[in-house]
Amino acid sequence: MEQTSIFKYTIEELEEILMENGFKKFSAKQIYDWLYIKMETNFDNMTNLSKELREFIKLRFKADLLKDLVTEESKDGTIKILFMLDDKKTIETVLMPQKYGQSVCVTTQVGCKMSCKFCASGLIKTERNLSVDEIVRQIYTMNLYLKNKYKDDPENRRARVSHIVVMGIGEPFDNYDNVLKFVKIINDKRGFEIGARHITISTCGIVPKIKEFADLKTQINLAISLHASNDEVRNTMMPINKAYPVKTLLDAVRYYVDQTNRRVTFEYILIDGVNDRPEHALELAKIIKGINGYVNLIPYNEVEENPYKKSTRIDEFYRILKKQNINAIVRKEFGADIDAACGQLRAKREGVIKNEI
């Protein structure tokens, strides 16, 4: 029998597997408790399971963690880990300490085919989607890290992951089914119990999937990587815009808001001389006015192989939006000293970015 990762299964799927093989349904809850509450990955240590069941799950499943290749820690507390997958491919995951808890940015693909011009992820071609367990194991590893770091005070709210942003390498809606199953597993109240409102999925604008996601009417947050106020600019930055231009994208966002009554986040990386002029701010305010959302202004993290530079007009852009009665914030920068921007660490290791680690 070929072993599969136990981290790919919802509790309902485990219940079904156990019952099909003559075991009690409630044992799935016991397994989930060992895995996600006690953080135990050695099946032999799951002492309230029968010996027969332990032998069965040892034959059927594996609970291997991702291999940590490189760990970098920023002076601001940000942790970035370069993981090696079972097939030797590499991905990155970032832990960002926040005032409200511990936030983790997860990766959903090996590479990214969206090829956004400002992003290090697009410097390496897409190789494949991540499996459900590969996404789950990113959170699992970060929880183990926090559990060990705060072992003297395990009840401390900093001792576990509390928020997730699906904004790492890859386009989440290009791996739609696996991402939603990952969310179901880590949201389960019998496991990590990370609330739906503490989970944000970001997309660069795959319109059919935005509408499909809207129809689910979940409490999961949606973020739109907009980054431009018109098609002319967005076409130069994001190839996806040629398939789904700004108006089409914003119509899908309005549909999402109507279906879910949820506020949406517009992510806007400010790049010097490209999308950061006062007229861009006014145009942005005009096209999103009336949509229940806010703008997250992001200082650009420069990549040497890309021509873009960090904007010097961030404060001015912010003031213009506020004057136009648009809710906006300037995102705090995390891990600037450790290649914490999406895809940078992996690209360095692959030799795509200079100064290879």
Side-chain angles (χ1 to χ4, degrees):
M1 181 183 299
E2 183 179 356
Q3 290 179 310
T4 56
S5 175
I6 199 165
F7 296 114
K8 70 178 285 187
Y9 296 100
T10 65
I11 198 166
E12 292 80 11
E13 288 172 333
L14 281 179
E15 288 172 345
E16 184 175 345
I17 291 170
L18 294 181
M19 289 189 293
E20 285 176 351
N21 287 275
F23 298 102
K24 299 294 185 182
K25 177 180 178 180
F26 73 85
S27 293
K29 169 63 173 70
Q30 294 175 305
I31 294 170
Y32 247 55
D33 184 74
W34 279 108
L35 285 173
Y36 296 107
I37 305 300
K38 298 183 176 69
M39 303 291 289
E40 178 59 68
T41 58
N42 186 334
F43 298 138
D44 286 325
N45 292 339
M46 299 180 179
T47 51
N48 62 345
L49 305 182
S50 68
K51 183 177 180 181
E52 182 183 8
L53 177 53
R54 275 178 280 165
E55 291 302 316
F56 170 76
I57 62 176
K58 282 162 58 179
L59 286 173
R60 181 68 181 266
F61 305 117
K62 55 185 178 181
D64 298 342
L65 301 180
L66 300 176
K67 183 179 179 181
D68 180 349
L69 283 180
V70 180
T71 298
E72 294 186 346
E73 183 166 0
S74 170
K75 58 188 177 184
D76 65 18
T78 301
I79 302 293
K80 186 162 197 174
I81 299 180
L82 182 71
F83 289 116
M84 179 180 285
L85 306 175
D86 295 343
D87 62 358
K88 310 301 182 185
K89 307 298 183 185
T90 58
I91 60 169
E92 323 173 335
T93 309
V94 182
L95 171 68
M96 300 167 289
Q98 305 274 9
K99 291 181 179 179
Y100 51 75
Q102 303 282 10
S103 180
V104 171
C105 180
V106 299
T107 284
T108 56
Q109 294 180 306
V110 179
C112 183
K113 70 182 181 184
M114 297 298 111
S115 300
C116 297
K117 304 305 181 185
F118 48 81
C119 182
S121 297
L123 294 173
I124 303 175
K125 67 178 182 179
T126 305
E127 298 185 61
R128 64 175 177 84
N129 287 334
L130 293 192
S131 61
V132 175
D133 65 276
E134 287 170 333
I135 312 175
V136 171
R137 284 189 281 171
Q138 294 174 60
I139 300 300
Y140 204 94
T141 301
M142 288 302 188
N143 260 329
L144 282 174
Y145 172 87
L146 292 169
K147 181 181 179 181
N148 182 63
K149 183 173 183 177
Y150 299 103
K151 60 185 176 183
D152 295 330
D153 188 12
E155 299 304 316
N156 190 313
R157 67 183 180 87
R158 295 175 297 171
R160 62 187 294 271
V161 175
S162 60
H163 293 70
I164 292 172
V165 289
V166 188
M167 298 181 183
I169 298 172
E171 162 56 51
F173 280 175
D174 198 33
N175 190 12
Y176 184 82
D177 292 338
N178 285 351
V179 167
L180 289 190
K181 187 175 178 182
F182 151 75
V183 168
K184 182 175 182 180
I185 291 171
I186 55 95
N187 173 242
D188 197 300
K189 64 182 180 181
R190 294 155 294 189
F192 283 150
E193 198 178 4
I194 298 174
R197 294 189 179 193
H198 290 176
I199 301 169
T200 300
I201 299 177
S202 174
T203 178
C204 68
I206 301 181
V207 165
K209 290 301 180 184
I210 293 174
K211 292 180 177 179
E212 187 175 340
F213 183 65
D215 289 338
L216 296 178
K217 295 182 172 63
T218 73
Q219 296 296 301
I220 301 164
N221 301 305
L222 178 66
I224 302 295
S225 294
L226 188 58
H227 307 312
S229 57
N230 60 62
D231 289 328
E232 183 180 1
V233 175
R234 201 166 191 260
N235 282 342
T236 68
M237 301 167 64
M238 305 175 70
I240 188 71
N241 196 69
K242 295 174 183 177
Y244 306 112
V246 171
K247 184 182 183 304
T248 302
L249 174 57
L250 292 181
D251 284 346
V253 171
R254 291 185 181 93
Y255 179 80
Y256 167 83
V257 172
D258 289 344
Q259 291 295 105
T260 65
N261 199 31
R262 300 285 296 157
R263 185 172 69 160
V264 71
T265 301
F266 292 104
E267 297 173 301
Y268 198 101
I269 294 176
L270 285 160
I271 300 173
D272 186 55
V274 176
N275 64 352
D276 65 338
R277 297 188 180 94
E279 57 264 34
H280 294 138
L282 290 169
E283 188 173 39
L284 176 62
K286 181 179 179 180
I287 65 174
I288 67 172
K289 193 173 287 287
I291 298 177
N292 182 16
Y294 74 99
V295 179
N296 191 358
L297 296 173
I298 305 170
Y300 181 57
N301 199 328
E302 295 178 10
V303 177
E304 186 175 346
E305 279 62 26
N306 289 335
Y308 300 122
K309 299 296 179 184
K310 181 178 178 180
S311 174
T312 58
R313 302 184 180 96
I314 296 173
D315 292 340
E316 179 187 9
F317 201 98
Y318 171 79
R319 287 194 297 270
I320 293 171
L321 290 181
K322 297 296 285 186
K323 192 172 182 179
Q324 296 297 313
N325 296 315
I326 298 296
N327 289 323
I329 63 170
V330 177
R331 179 188 289 180
K332 177 182 176 183
E333 295 184 77
F334 288 94
D337 55 326
I338 61 164
D339 305 311
C342 182
Q344 279 188 319
L345 183 56
R346 176 174 181 257
K348 275 193 175 183
R349 188 176 188 278
E350 298 291 331
V352 177
I353 291 178
K354 294 177 183 178
N355 301 318
E356 183 176 359
I357 56 175

